[in-house]
Amino acid sequence: MRKLLLLKGGVPLVLTLYCLLCSGCSVIRDKPAKEDLSLALAGMAGSDEVVFEGANMLKRGGTTVPESLLFYGGTVEDHKKVKLYTLLPDKSMTQKTAAYGVKDLKNSAYALKPYYSQLEKKEGRWELQPTENSSEEGNPLPALNPLKQLEELESMEKSVTEEAGAGRGTSVLRIELTPSEARKQLSAELEKEMQILRPKVPESAENSAEADQAVTKALEKLWQKKNNELQQKLKQANVETVYHLTVDKKHNLPKRLTLNRKVSYSGEMMNKSENETYVSKVDFTGYR
């Protein structure tokens, strides 16, 4: 009888252990992927200093756009200050880039043009700080602030899953934006770029010469036309945006963030030569 009772009492225990072992990935060790993402973002925000390096490019119709190549580095300090600067590509990266269709990287003036930016978070917003040596006109660096990218990821509509085959001590989170969120993100970025390109009306427009006024009106008309064309194009665009975040599981800190955005067009604008793929990568190389 005692043996029978022990057996009966042992069955729930065995079943419990079996269930725990079978679902070990989600119950014993790992957390839901979204929770892993939140912990990684919190770990980044809690670091006093972070060093990073990144690169990005745009491919249109399967061919790399040389002017889009950009190599950069920077630091995050005191949780709210970010410095970014352009870097010359190293030899290994140049070879990889050439494999994507860029025969002579030196011909890309945009990729080698020096830029510098400093941003600071004030009242929840990232603001560009004026600096003596910064050249902000046409500067792409502010949009590449990795801390801002990670912060925005947390609030976006998305699905988060953990991918298999990650390196030892790391996990790789696949973060795919919903189609509406991907379109919203792209639209916001393009709108910001268009506003930068919008012709500036002189402060003393009333007193300016008629010829100058005519030029200003012509430029504004052209800008309006191009902006309308862009909006129409966006309506027919299919946007797929996927991030991959590699996380140091021991310290819950991001190690690498990659972005792959594919834009294709349907209907009358369906043309493979118009399809675009934007790729970016940033490695977090040091924490303090």
Side-chain angles (χ1 to χ4, degrees), residues 81-124:
K81 296 179 181 178
V82 175
K83 295 178 181 178
L84 301 107
Y85 45 84
T86 47
L87 295 171
L88 293 177
D90 58 31
K91 186 177 180 181
S92 61
M93 192 161 304
T94 303
Q95 291 173 343
K96 291 178 182 178
T97 304
Y100 281 104
V102 180
K103 296 180 180 180
D104 188 357
L105 187 61
K106 292 181 180 179
N107 287 336
S108 177
Y110 182 85
L112 303 179
K113 188 174 181 178
Y115 283 111
Y116 173 79
S117 287
Q118 185 170 313
L119 302 108
E120 185 171 352
K121 194 173 185 180
K122 296 180 179 180
E123 299 180 354

Side-chain angles (χ1 to χ4, degrees), residues 142-240:
L144 299 175
N145 177 0
L147 193 51
K148 182 182 179 182
Q149 292 182 54
L150 288 167
E151 290 172 349
E152 290 176 341
L153 269 181
E154 194 163 24
S155 61
M156 288 180 173
E157 295 180 2
K158 60 193 176 295
S159 63
V160 185
T161 55
E162 184 173 349
E163 295 208 329
R168 185 176 181 181
T170 66
S171 62
V172 177
L173 303 179
R174 184 182 188 276
I175 306 159
E176 181 172 2
L177 302 187
T178 62
S180 60
E181 189 70 54
R183 182 190 297 273
K184 179 181 174 182
Q185 182 194 47
L186 177 60
S187 297
E189 292 176 8
L190 292 176
E191 182 179 354
K192 190 172 183 179
E193 291 180 12
M194 286 300 292
Q195 288 303 322
I196 293 173
L197 295 173
R198 188 168 193 170
K200 293 180 175 59
V201 179
E203 295 181 3
S204 57
E206 294 181 1
N207 301 323
S208 61
E210 290 186 10
D212 293 336
Q213 291 182 19
V215 170
T216 300
K217 288 181 180 179
L219 289 173
E220 175 65 19
K221 186 176 181 180
L222 177 61
W223 182 89
Q224 290 288 354
K225 178 183 177 182
K226 293 299 180 182
N227 189 50
N228 290 336
E229 289 176 358
L230 176 62
Q231 296 304 320
Q232 290 300 317
K233 197 171 181 180
L234 278 172
K235 289 180 180 179
Q236 298 187 46
N238 302 309
V239 188
E240 299 177 23

Side-chain angles (χ1 to χ4, degrees), residues 37-100:
L37 174 61
S38 296
L39 286 171
L41 301 184
M44 165 71 85
S47 300
D48 293 327
E49 183 176 81
V50 184
V51 181
F52 58 87
E53 288 187 1
N56 62 270
M57 68 175 180
L58 176 70
K59 298 181 72 174
R60 183 177 291 121
T63 303
T64 302
V65 178
E67 292 79 8
S68 70
L69 288 165
L70 186 67
F71 304 88
Y72 63 95
T75 58
V76 180
E77 299 175 357
D78 300 328
H79 318 288
K80 60 179 182 179
K81 296 179 181 178
V82 175
K83 295 178 181 178
L84 301 107
Y85 45 84
T86 47
L87 295 171
L88 293 177
D90 58 31
K91 186 177 180 181
S92 61
M93 192 161 304
T94 303
Q95 291 173 343
K96 291 178 182 178
T97 304
Y100 281 104

